[in-house]
Amino acid sequence: MRRIEAKFAELKKRGEAALIPFVTAGDPDIETTLKILRALEKGGADCIELGIPFSDPTADGPTIQRSSERALKNGLSLPRIFRLVREFRRYSELPVILFGYFNPIFHYGLRKFCRQAAEAGVDGMLCVDLPPEESGELKRWTDDEGLDLIFLLSPTSGSDRIQQVARKGRGFIYYVSVTGVTGARGSFDGQLRSQLARVRKATSLPIGVGFGISTPQQASWIAGLADAAVVGSALVEKIEKAKGSTEKAQGAGRFVAQLKRAMRQIRRVPN
Amino acid sequence: MPALTELERAYAQVRRERTFRKEFQHYLHQYAGRETPLYFAERLTQKLGGAKIYLKREDLCHTGAHKINNTIGQILLARRMGRRRIIAETGAGQHGVATATVAARFGLDCEIFMGKEDVARQSLNVFRMKLLGAKVRVVDSGSQTLKDAMNEALRDWVTNVRDTYYLIGSVAGPHPYPMMVRDFQSVIGQEARRQILKQEGRLPDYLVACVGGGSNSMGLFYPFVRDPKVRMLGVEAAGGGLRTGKHAASILGGDVGVLHGSKSYVLQDDGGQIRETHSIAAGLDYPGVGPELSYLRDRGRVRFVSATDKQAIEAIKFLAEIEGIIPALESAHAIAAVMRLAPRWAKNGTIIINLSGRGDKDMITVADYLGVKL
């Protein structure tokens, strides 16, 4: 069984929702990211979402924009991200998902990218500016290499889109909780529960919710509604504010532990 | 994405409607001041000693550039769609001004995104937009120019998608924008075609236009695309020179990539990161180019050359002195290319240059470049 699928199955048995922290690869450098990943695992992360930095991150708010800029300034490249994942794999069996924009991958070569990602131990891929209609070629190579290609749905997605994503998606479905870009928010769309129910009807894949989740309270609320909570900007901001690389990793680990603890307090009924 | 599908549907519908087309024509005529002259530049022709040169005077449009053609079309569409809030990106500020203008005319809220660097070099246009009642949002991320303004406008759009219309000013961005902006700008080529047939009794031999994102060039070229004898020349911004790497020539110096939702030639580095661009003309300072222009280039239908900052400045001075017309820095790139090439072209040939905008907005930049204190 693939790592992502296995992880969701295992959590389901325990009646838990998955916590998926997001960090930008190479922010501020690769060595620190590796330390952070290990701290995230220790803190209770169930899966890692690793951001591939891009010069023009149109789906991201200011926090992740800044983190991408820092990573790029230090010369981050795809081969270095693959090395990072390979290194992480020496210690860990946590699923790793790459989250990025299309152009760097396209420029690198879709086939080469998928092959090298899979060899490095990557499990899934999410390309935020690639709509399912245009994903045919990438999907061919992710399928070939056994990578899960994950798609996004949002509050404005209609039923056609939901059906399409349910058909093409693998691993899980990433539900964007609000209209807009990544970043912490005070509140959520009041209709999240009913919107998730609509998606649930269309798919047997797990559903993860992301964008705007920044506190343990929010994470635990999401744990009651969905199969996973993705926390990005709030974590990236903690990493940004901490001083040295050890402090950054410790802070990230502590924050994830808080989130996970809050999420565990919600009893989920295994079905 | 659902917003794009909705836009595509709405546009497909109005495109067929006679009432919409009539409304569009009405405002082009009564409000933008069309049609614009196709002016025979007699002295320019004599000076260069080659083919006969005509200038399509888009600089005489209301707000001073061709940008108003598209903003009128799109604001009418936005109204049909019931949107109350209009957002737009701008580089030189011409599209921002043209958007703020039509938003004022139709009483809609308007916010313009503009890179910090462009705000500094186009302060006059910033003031104009504010005077027109628009909010100007200064974008300080990335290279602080047009592409970053577009990033920020896209972020705003996905956040406020339910009540906001994003009015893109170039033939770039996701479908249906490149097609829609081309259609609205095609009035330039349709008029030019009629006018040259009347004045010369035949089609032109060359069409020349500057290319940043490509809206003015597509507008001029498109109605001639199926006339194989009409040759087309796009002029990209070579900035400090193509070899210096400090330029904005996406077709001449870029690779195939995907930026802002369209696949086209893109200026990028080895890692597929979008490169910073340089041009003295803020309106050409964009690392991508319309996908249809890339296609026409690949088919060999449109040929591309470039002009440097320095050549553009010389072209402004030249045209000002011999024709009494001060072109925008952007349009000056097209003039510069013709200054170089026209002497080589047959005397009995005709050239139409799209004079896409007037130079008033650039006076501070030009004075600066020439070391003149105002």
Side-chain angles (χ1 to χ4, degrees):
Chain A
M1 209 193 282
R2 301 185 193 213
R3 280 196 198 94
I4 297 174
E5 197 186 344
K7 175 57 81 178
F8 276 107
E10 170 201 326
L11 288 168
K12 196 173 186 179
K13 262 189 228 150
R14 292 214 305 263
E16 273 181 37
L19 172 59
I20 309 181
F22 167 98
V23 290
T24 302
D27 169 27
D29 54 62
I30 284 283
E31 293 69 33
T32 307
T33 305
L34 185 61
K35 270 191 203 169
I36 291 170
L37 296 189
R38 300 186 67 183
L40 294 177
E41 174 162 31
K42 237 173 108 189
D46 298 299
C47 174
I48 302 284
E49 202 175 285
L50 197 55
I52 304 172
F54 182 47
S55 53
D56 294 77
T58 44
D60 285 302
T63 306
I64 295 179
Q65 286 175 42
R66 283 197 303 273
S67 87
S68 299
E69 278 175 31
R70 284 192 296 270
L72 288 174
K73 212 179 272 169
N74 290 326
L76 193 88
S77 62
L78 286 171
R80 290 179 77 168
I81 295 179
F82 296 145
R83 275 210 296 281
L84 166 71
V85 176
R86 213 173 295 129
E87 189 66 19
F88 181 60
R89 274 283 162 262
R90 287 173 50 196
Y91 321 102
S92 172
E93 279 301 309
L94 275 196
V96 173
I97 297 162
L98 295 182
F99 178 104
Y101 291 81
F102 189 63
N103 198 56
I105 304 169
F106 175 71
H107 191 77
Y108 196 72
L110 297 181
R111 186 182 190 175
K112 182 171 141 198
F113 171 85
C114 291
R115 196 178 56 232
Q116 294 183 0
E119 277 166 13
V122 170
D123 302 287
M125 171 70 209
L126 201 160
C127 194
V128 69
D129 58 346
L130 185 70
E133 291 88 339
E134 305 286 340
S135 67
E137 201 186 338
L138 179 62
K139 177 139 180 74
R140 182 173 155 209
W141 301 122
T142 51
D143 282 353
D144 247 32
E145 298 293 344
L147 293 169
D148 291 335
L149 188 58
I150 296 159
F151 291 105
L152 297 158
L153 286 173
S154 81
T156 57
S157 301
S159 47
D160 286 1
R161 174 54 62 98
I162 293 175
Q163 295 297 337
Q164 194 178 20
V165 162
R167 212 167 45 242
K168 291 185 178 165
R170 299 211 50 154
F172 66 95
I173 286 175
Y174 190 128
Y175 190 83
V176 175
S177 59
V178 285
T179 57
V181 295
T182 59
R185 280 176 184 74
S187 65
F188 288 98
D189 199 316
Q191 286 163 15
L192 185 59
R193 189 184 295 270
S194 60
Q195 284 161 349
L196 288 174
R198 271 175 73 213
V199 180
R200 187 77 78 187
K201 259 189 216 148
T203 182
S204 56
L205 285 172
I207 303 170
V209 174
F211 282 38
I213 306 172
S214 58
T215 65
Q217 289 79 1
Q218 289 171 336
S220 94
W221 183 64
I222 295 294
L225 298 176
D227 305 303
V230 184
V231 179
S233 298
L235 173 61
V236 170
E237 200 176 325
K238 290 239 168 359
I239 294 169
E240 179 178 44
K241 282 188 177 146
K243 286 282 181 281
S245 74
T246 310
E247 290 76 10
K248 285 179 192 295
Q250 280 171 353
R254 266 199 309 274
F255 181 50
V256 160
Q258 280 170 21
L259 294 168
K260 186 66 192 180
R261 205 174 311 129
M263 288 171 72
R264 279 198 179 114
Q265 280 162 10
I266 298 290
R267 273 322 294 175
R268 290 165 59 81
V269 190
N271 50 5
Chain B
M1 272 302 291
L4 291 171
T5 318
E6 190 190 346
L7 179 64
E8 191 182 347
R9 267 193 221 122
Y11 179 60
Q13 198 190 334
V14 299
R15 203 181 183 191
R16 287 193 305 265
E17 272 179 30
R18 252 187 74 195
T19 50
F20 183 86
R21 288 206 302 264
K22 270 179 92 171
E23 201 183 1
F24 180 48
Q25 291 305 331
H26 169 79
Y27 286 106
L28 284 180
H29 182 61
Q30 296 291 331
Y31 191 63
R34 301 203 74 93
E35 62 181 37
T36 61
L38 183 69
Y39 163 72
F40 172 48
E42 194 178 353
R43 296 193 68 214
L44 181 64
T45 301
Q46 281 168 5
K47 263 278 199 290
L48 297 176
K52 270 179 104 169
I53 301 169
Y54 284 86
L55 302 176
K56 181 60 177 160
R57 297 291 308 273
E58 292 300 297
D59 59 318
L60 295 178
C61 284
H62 179 39
T63 73
H66 73 290
K67 292 292 186 188
I68 191 86
N69 304 329
N70 167 52
T71 58
I72 289 176
Q74 286 199 56
I75 202 107
L76 294 175
L77 178 59
R79 268 177 18 128
R80 287 285 182 96
M81 295 173 74
R83 299 292 196 269
R84 300 290 315 161
R85 177 174 176 264
I86 305 295
I87 58 168
E89 81 295 338
T90 196
Q94 287 305 113
H95 174 58
V97 167
T99 304
T101 298
V102 294
R105 168 61 186 79
F106 290 101
L108 302 175
D109 293 337
C110 181
E111 265 181 65
I112 305 293
F113 294 82
M114 193 169 182
K116 198 173 166 187
E117 191 177 314
D118 292 335
V119 167
R121 56 182 170 171
Q122 299 289 345
S123 53
L124 215 54
N125 271 343
V126 174
F127 183 67
R128 286 169 81 193
M129 288 185 265
K130 287 181 179 164
L131 205 59
L132 290 160
K135 251 192 244 160
V136 177
R137 291 259 295 266
V138 181
V139 177
D140 59 5
S141 58
S143 58
Q144 308 182 345
T145 59
L146 182 54
K147 82 171 167 79
D148 310 284
M150 201 153 172
N151 291 343
E152 209 50 43
L154 282 166
R155 289 180 189 119
D156 182 291
W157 196 31
V158 296
T159 308
N160 302 301
V161 61
R162 290 185 177 100
D163 69 346
T164 296
Y165 183 94
Y166 181 17
L167 206 162
I168 292 186
S170 195
V171 288
H175 180 71
Y177 285 103
M179 173 181 84
M180 191 164 70
V181 177
R182 174 202 73 197
D183 290 349
F184 289 138
Q185 290 295 0
S186 287
V187 63
I188 303 172
Q190 286 155 6
E191 282 178 10
R193 198 186 159 93
R194 243 185 353 255
Q195 290 166 320
I196 196 85
L197 285 174
K198 200 165 163 204
Q199 293 177 52
E200 286 287 327
R202 62 184 187 91
L203 290 173
D205 297 290
Y206 297 94
L207 302 175
V208 184
C210 65
V211 175
S215 68
N216 90 80
S217 63
M218 275 313 295
L220 176 65
F221 294 169
Y222 191 63
F224 294 92
V225 161
R226 293 207 181 91
D227 301 308
K229 287 202 174 133
V230 178
R231 282 183 271 183
M232 300 172 183
L233 195 66
V235 187
E236 291 195 307
L242 285 185
R243 279 195 207 126
T244 63
K246 294 192 97 182
H247 60 77
S250 315
I251 285 193
L252 294 171
D255 305 305
V256 178
V258 175
L259 176 65
H260 295 141
S262 51
K263 186 176 175 189
S264 189
Y265 286 97
V266 175
L267 289 171
Q268 52 190 316
D269 67 16
D270 295 341
Q273 306 292 339
I274 309 306
R275 255 167 49 192
E276 288 191 10
T277 52
H278 171 86
S279 170
I280 193 165
L284 302 180
D285 222 349
Y286 181 67
V289 60
E292 195 167 1
L293 280 163
S294 291
Y295 166 75
L296 291 172
R297 171 247 161 92
D298 285 355
R299 273 185 40 195
R301 187 66 190 91
V302 178
R303 204 159 65 83
F304 281 82
V305 295
S306 68
T308 62
D309 289 352
K310 190 162 167 266
Q311 290 165 336
I313 295 275
E314 281 161 7
I316 287 189
K317 284 167 59 184
F318 190 64
L319 196 69
E321 283 167 17
I322 64 164
E323 288 288 354
I325 297 171
I326 303 176
L329 270 169
E330 291 77 13
S331 325
H333 284 71
I335 306 286
V338 168
M339 283 165 61
R340 219 165 55 223
L341 297 168
R344 285 193 245 151
W345 289 343
K347 269 200 195 314
N348 58 2
T350 54
I351 304 173
I352 297 177
I353 304 176
N354 198 6
L355 200 75
S356 55
R358 66 176 184 225
D360 307 41
K361 69 180 173 59
D362 297 315
M363 290 303 96
I364 297 169
T365 310
V366 175
D368 241 27
Y369 190 91
L370 297 172
V372 179
K373 277 232 158 69
L374 294 180

